[in-house]
Amino acid sequence: MSTVYSELAERILSGNPLGRDEIHELIVAGDGQDFALIEAASAIRRQEFRNMIAVHTDDEELAAALGTRSIATDGYETLDLSADIDSEVLADRLVQLGASNTTGITVKLPTNAVPMTLMRILAITRMAAPDKVLHLPDGYEEALRSLSSLAMHIVSAITISDDIERWPTINETLKALKHGGIVIAGAGGQDALAGYLRYLSELGVDLMGYREARGSACGSADGGSCCGGHDHADSPATSSSGGCGCGSDGCGSSTEDPKPVAAGTSHGCGCGSGGCGA
């Protein structure tokens, strides 16, 4: 992590918030240290929320399948990034949100922006509002694309859609959480991914032969999006031996069947790895 960003994170956690000019400087900075900024924001998130993430859904049966209760997001303030917003206006808004009495902030993302740019803004928002619940509404996967799992290390609440047509995407999200070490709040020891697959099966969704339902640790349909991880075909809920951290995507991946991995071999990738959508 960059010394500058790590020092900022330590300062924020000690109770000294960022000033308005500092926030603006982070917004317009082009220092090429996006992953260092993201890592600093992740450290703040872990300090404030540990490894927990809350879930909002409109379907209580889905919430029960995940082993949790749906959180209410109606009282959250909104940071709307889906419309053009000037850096000066954004800095003022982040200062306002950080100082507000709101419990949470729903961040609306555009689908036509550069994912890494959105990640940078999410990281700055976390640093400007360290103790707020940062909530991503439905559709964030389309905006963040391959960086969606990395965002889970910054935000602390997500919406999981009850739209059955979108189940493969939700399946990927749950696998990313599981293998990123992030636990759904209120789930206790329940396996949310296994619960979701049972929920789909009870609704009549045909999972047989659908490899996305039992792919690699990071959710690849063919075991090739993360460190060559591979699940057993006869065990949909079995985790892969090749998990990655912080949403990395690549790490020498291949669409071919992975070679056997020796016991104890680690394939973890850090936040700054070249596979994290850099």
Side-chain angles (χ1 to χ4, degrees):
M1 187 191 308
S2 166
T3 302
V4 173
Y5 291 133
S6 62
E7 289 177 351
L8 276 181
E10 291 175 3
R11 197 190 93 191
I12 292 167
L13 290 172
S14 70
N16 296 308
L18 295 177
R20 189 267 181 200
D21 291 341
E22 289 177 305
I23 293 174
H24 183 261
E25 184 177 346
L26 289 176
I27 294 172
V28 299
D31 56 9
Q33 298 189 68
D34 291 340
F35 283 111
L37 177 62
I38 291 168
E39 189 173 355
S42 177
I44 295 172
R45 183 239 192 271
R46 288 193 301 272
Q47 180 71 23
E48 295 290 340
F49 299 94
R50 297 181 294 170
N51 65 333
M52 308 294 287
I53 194 163
V55 167
H56 168 73
T57 177
D58 292 328
D59 188 331
E60 290 303 324
E61 290 186 7
L62 173 56
L66 298 172
T68 187
R69 290 185 177 181
S70 176
I71 63 169
T73 60
D74 295 342
Y76 288 4
E77 292 205 44
T78 301
L79 175 61
D80 191 354
L81 302 176
S82 61
D84 290 340
I85 183 168
D86 179 81
S87 62
E88 300 283 352
V89 175
L90 178 57
D92 291 337
R93 180 62 174 151
L94 291 181
V95 170
Q96 179 188 24
L97 290 171
S100 72
N101 293 323
T102 185
T103 301
I105 303 167
T106 293
V107 185
K108 294 184 177 180
L109 303 176
T111 57
N112 58 347
V114 177
M116 184 53 76
T117 299
L118 298 179
M119 282 297 305
R120 185 176 182 89
I121 295 176
L122 284 175
I124 296 169
T125 303
R126 169 55 69 205
M127 298 179 82
D131 60 345
K132 309 298 183 187
V133 175
L134 292 190
H135 165 241
L136 292 181
D138 195 17
Y140 70 87
E141 304 97 331
E142 285 76 11
L144 294 171
R145 300 196 284 278
S146 65
L147 299 183
S148 293
S149 55
L150 183 57
M152 300 301 102
H153 295 264
I154 295 177
V155 304
S156 44
I158 56 173
T159 290
I160 293 184
S161 173
D162 58 356
D163 182 358
I164 300 302
E165 297 298 322
R166 299 188 65 239
W167 80 262
T169 300
I170 298 168
N171 183 60
E172 300 301 309
T173 296
L174 293 175
K175 282 195 281 191
L177 291 177
K178 179 177 180 179
H179 297 285
I182 299 176
V183 179
I184 293 178
Q190 182 168 330
D191 188 331
L193 176 58
Y196 183 63
L197 294 178
R198 285 194 299 269
Y199 165 82
L200 293 173
S201 180
E202 290 171 0
L203 290 177
V205 178
D206 182 13
L207 304 178
M208 296 301 294
Y210 205 101
R211 298 186 69 186
E212 278 81 353
R214 60 177 199 275
S216 74
C218 287
S220 169
D222 52 16
S225 87
C226 184
C227 307
H230 179 67
D231 282 346
H232 297 291
D234 60 351
S235 181
T238 301
S239 63
S240 167
S241 60
C244 287
C246 292
S248 61
D249 184 17
C251 314
S253 62
S254 169
T255 56
E256 298 177 356
D257 290 337
K259 296 180 180 179
V261 180
T265 301
S266 172
H267 292 285
C269 302
C271 285
S273 71
C276 293

